[in-house]
Amino acid sequence: MKLPNLGRTMLCLLLVVISIGAWSAGTEQDLDAAEEGFIAALLANDRSELEKVLGAEFFYNTATGRSLAKKAFLQYLDAGQLSVQFAARSEVRTTYYEDVAIVSGVYRVEAVLAGKASTSRSRYLHVWYRQNSSWRLVARQVTYLDG
């Protein structure tokens, strides 16, 4: 039995586990920053930042049943139909599949919709895709919750 080879194998395995852990921590921090960036861009109605955060194939299935592609979603915001005043996430769960992440949770949002103040709680599902080391939101689904 060759202990030196076993020792090197264990050391290599340990380094792989440590590097995976570091990749995972960096990935989680980057994705959390992307989620927060999406919220910040909505709050500021910052079309330029939303253009960056949203993937080219982005679509949004709204709580009212409409489905908006990226261009339609941005036009909706540009038209002043939605102004987000406050948004907070809770109950966030994230699952990673290589360069894809699925984030679900609950949003509490205060907004002005078509000129009317609105407060809502909704369950959301975001699908993110990592492209060139940046996360892009490619799909969003929202369902209103009671209360």
Side-chain angles (χ1 to χ4, degrees):
M1 184 164 145
K2 295 182 180 180
L3 288 178
N5 286 341
L6 179 61
R8 279 186 287 214
T9 301
M10 293 301 290
L11 179 59
C12 287
L13 181 59
L14 179 60
L15 290 174
V16 167
V17 168
I18 289 170
S19 66
I20 289 172
W23 175 85
S24 177
T27 298
E28 289 173 18
Q29 291 169 349
D30 293 345
L31 183 60
D32 191 54
E35 281 271 322
E36 290 297 326
F38 173 68
I39 292 171
L42 281 177
L43 290 169
N45 197 16
D46 185 342
R47 183 185 177 113
S48 174
E49 192 58 32
L50 285 168
E51 286 272 1
K52 292 177 196 172
V53 172
L54 303 178
E57 57 285 313
F58 171 81
F59 69 91
Y60 174 25
N61 291 333
T62 72
T64 61
R66 289 179 63 192
S67 186
L68 302 172
K70 180 178 180 176
K71 182 177 178 181
F73 176 64
L74 293 172
Q75 287 173 340
Y76 180 74
L77 294 174
D78 289 344
Q81 294 297 307
L82 171 66
S83 174
V84 179
Q85 308 296 308
F86 172 83
R89 301 181 298 150
S90 63
E91 301 178 38
V92 178
R93 290 183 13 193
T94 305
T95 304
Y96 294 93
Y97 301 96
E98 296 182 21
D99 289 333
V100 174
I102 298 172
V103 181
S104 65
V106 173
Y107 265 127
R108 187 172 76 77
V109 175
E110 294 173 9
V112 177
L113 291 165
K116 296 181 182 177
S118 169
T119 299
S120 65
R121 283 184 65 240
S122 59
R123 183 157 305 281
Y124 73 93
L125 178 73
H126 287 170
V127 178
W128 292 86
Y129 176 69
R130 186 173 40 217
Q131 182 179 36
N132 301 327
S133 72
S134 295
W135 288 102
R136 302 286 180 249
L137 183 60
V138 294
R140 182 169 200 254
Q141 170 81 41
V142 175
T143 303
Y144 286 132
L145 298 173
D146 294 331

